[in-house]
């Protein structure tokens, strides 16, 4: 198990590489002083366990080499000054006690402010201003968690700039909570892996209490990320929060039918724990209790014996007007996906002779469940998954929130070159717009390390 109690506040020596040099030069020309330190937080790819963290279930991601790297100098000004090396993201500044996060427009600076505000509230005394220049290499809106990496980087920067100390676990928990200021009710996967990742290791991330366990993926295969080129920012639509509330309502309806306490806030995972049964039993309970037709608002109110007003209290701000809820499909996905995560970890630990095939099958089942039960795929992702399977992957699935973004495929190492060539040919080169983006769109990846801070000695 990862030693999550260790603070990441041990400065590493800045690498003598071009990225650091360029960032330092740009920082000096922007702020007229050298950076005091640098902070980095990685993006992630989720291998399996999609849309189940916010129901309390374990997920299995690994960190990417792609990250957010920021150069920082604390100041006496009480002002946060933000700039980005990518000119698409405009300069921004705000007084540290006048922070406002607009949930109707997910602009880049708001993710930084989420991280800042989370730490500010945790310590109740954050006074340092910050000059900061951000450089990101995670493609935005692609399901690789560029937004959480920015929140985590900002949280870490705020801790360091104010001379505070927190463990990686505490940072991950605070950053998971404070990212919700943007309006999306995410689970804690992205922030946890960003802080708890270790080079060379995928991680089983479990919640309540948060912990991360190494998972060594069997030799002989690599994970390849492919971008569908359909962008999706989960904070800009209601898809994500609708799924969150459907899971909340499903948990309550199932709980009530089983004579379990349902009034308090309850996740599908809490219900399983409360009933003290296995995932198999939860899947048959879903079959017995829920129907596949969507539940209207009236039916939900009737099932739970609550008023429309009480129903509104269960919903989030941006899902107040949702007319109906697919409870059966969402609960079925969550319990079956939770079981696939357990199975994936078991295959990795036991490495039977057909391990790669078994893992590939689990990834394929996961995609089908995301597509058909959770409805978080899209035609581009489905096509890309098919192309990846045709091109030699043993397993392929959407990764991250979905509705666009990336797929992750498991490819036997000896087929990697022909796989990359075929996917380029069929998915990217055949389409002019995708061809233009193809350089950062298809890449093999190794598990990278977690968030860290650097300075020059
Ligand atoms: C987003 C959220 C995560 C998780 C995934 C889907 O990345 O931030 O918490 O729910 O979607 O698995």
């Amino acid at each position: 198990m990862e030693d999550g109690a260790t603070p990441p506040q041990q400065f590493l020596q800045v690498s003598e590489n071009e990225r650091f040099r360029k960032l330092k030069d740009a920082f000096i020309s922007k702020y007229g002083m050298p950076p005091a330190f640098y902070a980095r937080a990685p993006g992630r790819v989720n291998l399996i366990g999609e849309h189940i963290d916010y129901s309390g279930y374990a997920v299995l991601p690994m960190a990417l080499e792609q990250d957010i790297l920021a150069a920082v100098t604390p100041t006496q000004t009480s002002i946060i000054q933000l700039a980005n090396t990518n000119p698409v993201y405009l300069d921004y500044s705000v007084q540290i006690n006048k922070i406002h996060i607009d949930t109707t427009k997910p602009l880049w600076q708001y993710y930084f402010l989420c991280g800042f505000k989370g730490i500010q509230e945790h310590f109740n005394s954050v006074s340092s201003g910050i000059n900061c220049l951000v450089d990101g290499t995670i493609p935005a809106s692609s399901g690789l968690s560029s937004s959480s990496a920015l929140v985590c980087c900002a949280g870490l920067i705020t801790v360091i700039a104010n001379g505070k100390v927190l463990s990686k676990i505490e940072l991950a928990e605070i950053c998971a909570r404070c990212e919700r200021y943007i309006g999306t009710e995410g689970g804690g996967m992205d922030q946890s892996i960003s802080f708890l990742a270790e080079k060379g290791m995928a991680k089983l991330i479990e919640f309540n209490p948060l912990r991360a366990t190494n998972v060594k993926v069997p030799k002989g295969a690599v994970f390849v990320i492919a971008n569908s080129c359909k962008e999706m920012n989960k904070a800009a639509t209601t898809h994500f929060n609708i799924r969150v509330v459907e899971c909340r309502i499903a948990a309550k309806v199932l709980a009530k039918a089983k004579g379990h306490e349902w009034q308090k806030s309850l996740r599908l995972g809490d219900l399983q724990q409360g009933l003290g049964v296995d995932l198999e039993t939860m899947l048959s309970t879903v079959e017995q209790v829920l129907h596949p037709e969507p539940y209207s608002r009236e039916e939900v109110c009737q099932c739970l014996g609550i008023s429309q007003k009480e129903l509104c209290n269960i919903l989030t701000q941006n899902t107040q007007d949702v007319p109906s809820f697919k409870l059966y499909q969402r609960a079925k996905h969550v319990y079956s996906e939770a079981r696939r995560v357990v199975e994936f970890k078991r295959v990795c630990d036991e490495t039977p002779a057909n391990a790669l095939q078994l893992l590939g099958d689990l990834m394929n089942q996961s995609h089908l469940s995301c597509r058909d039960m959770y409805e978080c795929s899209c035609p581009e992702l489905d096509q890309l998954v098919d192309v990846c399977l045709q091109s030699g992957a043993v397993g392929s699935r959407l990764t991250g929130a979905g509705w666009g973004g990336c797929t992750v495929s498991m490819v036997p190492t000896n087929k990697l070159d022909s796989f990359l060539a075929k996917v380029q040919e069929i998915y990217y080169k055949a389409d002019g717009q995708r061809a233009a983006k193809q350089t950062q769109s298809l890449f093999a990846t190794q598990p990278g390390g977690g968030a860290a801070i650097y300075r020059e000695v």
Side-chain angles (χ1 to χ4, degrees):
M1 189 180 298
E2 145 80 6
D3 180 14
T6 329
Q9 282 94 337
Q10 233 165 28
F11 283 99
L12 304 175
Q13 163 65 12
V14 164
S15 321
E16 273 306 308
N17 68 28
E18 191 166 338
R19 187 161 175 224
F20 273 105
R21 256 196 312 277
K22 273 185 155 170
L23 187 59
K24 181 179 174 183
D25 291 348
F27 188 96
I28 294 173
S29 58
K30 179 98 208 156
Y31 297 113
M33 57 172 95
F37 68 91
Y38 301 81
R40 136 176 222 276
R44 59 100 189 93
V45 56
N46 189 20
L47 302 182
I48 197 155
E50 219 62 83
H51 284 281
I52 60 173
D53 56 350
Y54 51 83
S55 285
Y57 283 108
V59 292
L60 215 154
M62 63 191 204
L64 298 175
E65 278 154 22
Q66 284 83 348
D67 60 16
I68 299 281
L69 180 67
V72 188
T73 292
T75 66
Q76 310 271 308
T77 58
S78 303
I79 291 175
I80 302 172
Q81 297 258 26
L82 292 180
N84 199 305
T85 56
N86 182 342
V88 167
Y89 303 116
L90 304 179
D91 287 6
Y92 178 81
S93 76
V94 67
Q95 288 245 342
I96 63 172
N97 51 8
K98 295 218 172 102
I99 288 178
H100 170 70
I101 297 165
D102 183 351
T103 54
T104 63
K105 277 192 256 134
L107 299 176
W108 81 281
Q109 63 266 22
Y110 294 143
Y111 293 97
F112 192 99
L113 297 185
C114 282
F116 186 92
K117 189 167 164 181
I119 301 301
Q120 189 179 40
E121 288 180 349
H122 180 82
F123 286 109
N124 227 338
S125 67
V126 155
S127 55
S128 177
I130 287 172
N131 286 349
C132 178
L133 177 61
V134 172
D135 181 59
T137 54
I138 312 163
S141 301
S142 65
L144 301 178
S145 206
S146 55
S147 39
S148 301
L150 182 52
V151 173
C152 292
C153 197
L156 184 54
I157 287 170
T158 311
V159 167
I160 303 301
N162 288 280
K164 308 284 186 191
V165 179
L166 285 175
S167 71
K168 293 178 190 176
I169 295 268
E170 288 168 313
L171 274 160
E173 287 180 333
I174 294 171
C175 290
R177 275 198 304 275
C178 67
E179 188 167 333
R180 298 191 191 122
Y181 292 136
I182 205 80
T184 312
E185 298 282 321
M189 164 168 69
D190 310 342
Q191 303 80 4
S192 306
I193 191 67
S194 196
F195 282 109
L196 301 175
E198 275 177 88
K199 212 170 167 54
M201 289 293 169
K203 292 275 182 180
L204 179 79
I205 305 279
E206 296 168 278
F207 302 95
N208 312 306
L210 176 59
R211 55 214 188 274
T213 310
N214 286 342
V215 177
K216 209 160 172 31
V217 180
K219 290 207 172 69
V222 275
F223 289 101
V224 179
I225 293 173
N227 196 331
S228 70
C229 300
K230 179 166 193 300
E231 291 195 359
M232 154 67 188
N233 178 328
K234 65 182 181 300
T237 73
T238 52
H239 302 312
F240 192 94
N241 279 1
I242 291 178
R243 297 300 178 275
V244 174
V245 302
E246 285 173 320
C247 289
R248 276 185 202 164
I249 298 172
K252 286 185 185 294
V253 172
L254 287 168
K256 186 151 189 239
K258 297 307 275 180
H260 191 269
E261 162 78 76
W262 62 272
Q263 268 105 340
K264 58 174 196 235
S265 107
L266 182 77
R267 298 169 307 172
L268 289 163
D270 303 328
L271 175 62
Q272 186 204 344
Q273 250 190 7
L275 294 175
V277 297
D278 59 13
L279 286 164
E280 220 47 63
T281 310
M282 288 317 300
L283 281 162
S284 12
T285 307
V286 170
E287 297 296 335
Q288 286 153 17
V289 175
L290 300 176
H291 58 67
E293 297 75 30
Y295 286 67
S296 66
R297 296 173 76 101
E298 291 68 35
E299 189 178 3
V300 170
C301 290
Q302 205 179 28
C303 282
L304 296 176
I306 57 171
S307 64
Q308 286 280 344
K309 192 156 170 266
E310 286 166 311
L311 173 61
C312 289
N313 293 336
I314 303 174
L315 305 178
T316 63
Q317 208 182 7
N318 66 349
T319 57
Q320 291 291 320
D321 298 328
V322 175
S324 62
F325 307 91
K326 290 195 178 173
L327 306 186
Y328 167 84
Q329 292 83 346
R330 311 312 184 218
K332 197 165 164 170
H333 168 77
V334 170
Y335 290 128
S336 67
E337 184 77 353
R339 199 174 54 176
R340 284 186 283 275
V341 172
V342 174
E343 195 54 17
F344 196 97
K345 163 89 168 42
R346 194 183 61 75
V347 174
C348 289
D349 290 347
E350 294 174 6
T351 54
N354 59 345
L356 294 186
Q357 196 52 54
L358 293 174
L359 297 178
D361 290 347
L362 289 166
M363 292 175 72
N364 294 335
Q365 287 162 20
S366 168
H367 184 73
L368 294 182
S369 181
C370 283
R371 186 188 74 185
D372 301 335
M373 292 291 122
Y374 221 69
E375 296 176 282
C376 60
S377 189
C378 64
E380 291 85 347
L381 281 170
D382 294 338
Q383 188 205 348
L384 185 52
V385 161
D386 287 346
V387 170
C388 290
L389 290 174
Q390 267 174 49
S391 305
V394 287
S396 186
R397 54 182 297 280
L398 67 83
T399 185
W403 296 286
C406 291
T407 60
V408 58
S409 302
M410 191 180 204
V411 181
T413 315
N414 57 4
K415 289 196 185 155
L416 180 61
D417 291 343
S418 68
F419 171 86
L420 295 173
K422 279 188 193 157
V423 178
Q424 286 287 11
E425 204 55 46
I426 312 175
Y427 192 79
Y428 296 101
K429 291 200 181 136
D431 178 302
Q433 271 189 338
R434 289 177 191 161
K437 295 187 191 162
Q438 71 181 326
T439 42
Q440 342 168 351
S441 293
L442 181 67
F443 55 92
T445 183
Q446 300 293 332
I453 44 172
Y454 303 82
R455 71 175 165 207
E456 290 176 271
V457 262

